[in-house]
């Protein structure tokens, strides 16, 4: 009897062990299924959008960026300190696994009381690629060429009209309120909607005399909607600013 009871106990233990193994296997299988399902539910995008942009914080600058017309990344640089600075802008377009699809960089100068724009092409993707993040990293340096002219004294006013094609024609008057000539001036007119750049154009002047005005026209072309309608650019903020200037103090 004792031998039979021992064998019976052994069989019970084996059965319990087998049951435990089966239960654990089922639990592991369920976890694998859950993880797999969660992984499959992760959004897979084949085109970059603004939500993917990540900007590293940087001193002396306010940085905003967005995708422009699905083809370009535009980065707006605004100074937060009273000094001219040179910047190196590095951009990495990554896939869903965090691997770089494309990397690019450019240099620019941001002047006191000025702003600047830099642009990058959005890379095309292979059919088997899904996009991840757009990482923007900016390094700042003290510039060696300090502008003597005060850009806050270069002011702009505009009027505009819309033509039959839906283009917005801007008539801009600038004034150099500095007491010396500016040899060369470059700037931008930028339209924003909800904080995103929706249209821009550049302008330049070869020479602007002291306490002198200058006039120029520029335009934003009309846009096509998904319904193939032609509409004017819709914006809620307009910026007109200087991005680069050269001094001319030959009369000193």
């Amino acid at each position: 009897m004792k031998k039979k009871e021992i064998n019976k106990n052994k069989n019970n233990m084996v059965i319990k062990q087998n049951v435990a193994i089966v239960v654990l296997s089922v639990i592991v299988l369920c976890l694998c299924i859950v993880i797999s399902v969660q992984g499959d539910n992760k959004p897979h995008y084949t085109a970059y959008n603004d939500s993917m942009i990540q900007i590293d914080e940087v001193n002396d600058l306010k940085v905003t960026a967005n995708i422009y017309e699905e083809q370009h990344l535009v980065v707006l640089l605004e100074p937060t300190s009273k000094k001219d600075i040179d910047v190196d802008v590095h951009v990495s377009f990554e896939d869903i696994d965090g691997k770089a699809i494309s990397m690019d960089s450019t240099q620019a100068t941001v002047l006191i009381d000025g702003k600047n724009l830099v642009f990058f092409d959005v890379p095309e993707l292979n059919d088997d690629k899904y996009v991840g993040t757009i990482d923007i990293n900016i390094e700042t340096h003290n510039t060696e060429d300090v502008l003597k002219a005060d850009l806050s004294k270069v002011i702009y006013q505009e009027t505009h009209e819309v033509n039959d094609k839906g283009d917005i024609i801007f008539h801009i008057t600038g004034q150099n309120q500095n007491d010396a000539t500016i040899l060369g001036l470059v700037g931008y007119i930028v339209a924003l909607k909800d904080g995103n750049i929706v249209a821009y154009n550049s302008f330049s002047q070869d020479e602007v005399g002291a306490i002198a005005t200058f006039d120029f026209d520029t335009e934003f072309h009309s846009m096509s909607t998904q319904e193939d309608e032609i509409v004017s650019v819709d914006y809620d903020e307009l910026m007109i600013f200087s991005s680069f200037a050269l001094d001319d103090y030959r009369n000193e």
Side-chain angles (χ1 to χ4, degrees):
M1 289 293 294
K2 290 183 178 180
K3 188 174 183 179
K4 289 182 178 180
E5 289 178 359
I6 291 172
N7 289 335
K8 184 178 179 180
N9 291 336
K10 286 183 177 180
N11 290 336
N12 290 336
M13 290 180 62
V14 170
I15 292 172
K16 290 179 180 180
Q17 289 176 347
N18 290 337
V19 170
I21 291 172
V22 170
V23 172
L24 287 174
S25 298
V26 171
I27 292 173
V28 170
L29 179 61
C30 291
L31 288 173
C32 291
I33 292 173
V34 169
I35 292 172
S36 176
V37 170
Q38 288 179 341
D40 291 339
N41 287 337
K42 186 177 181 179
H44 288 62
Y45 298 102
T46 57
Y48 288 101
N49 60 62
D50 294 344
S51 66
M52 300 169 180
I53 298 173
Q54 297 182 356
I55 304 173
D56 291 344
E57 293 185 7
V58 59
N59 294 329
D60 304 325
L61 281 178
K62 175 186 176 183
V63 182
T64 54
N66 63 272
I67 303 294
Y68 180 75
E69 293 186 342
E70 299 181 355
Q71 298 178 345
H72 306 287
L73 172 70
V74 57
V75 183
L76 174 63
L77 307 170
E78 303 178 67
T80 58
S81 64
K82 287 294 182 180
K83 62 181 180 180
D84 300 330
I85 54 176
D86 291 331
V87 298
D88 297 324
V89 185
H90 306 276
V91 175
S92 176
F93 296 89
E94 298 181 352
D95 64 18
I96 197 170
D97 298 317
K99 297 179 181 178
I101 295 173
S102 174
M103 301 177 70
D104 201 356
S105 63
T106 190
Q107 296 178 325
T109 299
V110 182
L111 301 175
I112 299 172
D113 295 311
K115 301 178 181 67
N116 214 334
L117 288 176
V118 295
F119 312 89
F120 300 91
D121 292 332
V122 175
E124 295 183 0
L125 300 174
N126 298 327
D127 293 337
D128 60 342
K129 288 286 187 182
Y130 295 102
V131 300
T133 61
I134 304 172
D135 289 329
I136 300 176
N137 177 267
I138 298 177
E139 300 174 5
T140 61
H141 315 278
N142 292 330
T143 183
E144 295 180 0
D145 299 322
V146 178
L147 182 69
K148 296 178 182 178
D150 184 351
L151 284 188
S152 69
K153 294 182 179 180
V154 181
I155 60 174
Y156 302 94
Q157 293 180 323
E158 64 86 17
T159 60
H160 61 269
E161 58 194 15
V162 181
N163 64 17
D164 294 338
K165 298 179 181 179
D167 303 327
I168 305 176
I169 312 299
F170 293 93
H171 308 290
I172 299 174
T173 298
Q175 184 178 28
N176 174 23
Q177 296 181 345
N178 288 278
D179 58 2
T181 297
I182 294 178
L183 180 61
L185 185 67
V186 178
Y188 286 94
I189 175 171
V190 178
L192 300 98
K193 178 69 174 181
D194 298 326
N196 288 329
I197 294 171
V198 293
Y200 66 89
N201 217 331
S202 61
F203 61 85
S204 62
Q205 295 290 315
D206 290 336
E207 185 170 328
V208 182
I211 318 299
T213 60
F214 54 97
D215 301 289
F216 61 93
D217 290 346
T218 189
E219 64 184 74
F220 293 155
H221 292 297
S222 57
M223 307 172 63
S224 297
T225 66
Q226 293 181 345
E227 294 77 21
D228 290 330
E229 293 182 286
I230 303 300
V231 297
S232 299
V233 173
D234 180 24
Y235 62 92
D236 54 28
E237 182 181 359
L238 190 71
M239 290 182 175
I240 307 174
F241 57 82
S242 307
S243 62
F244 181 75
L246 289 174
D247 288 321
D248 178 13
Y249 285 83
R250 289 173 296 184
N251 295 325
E252 283 189 350

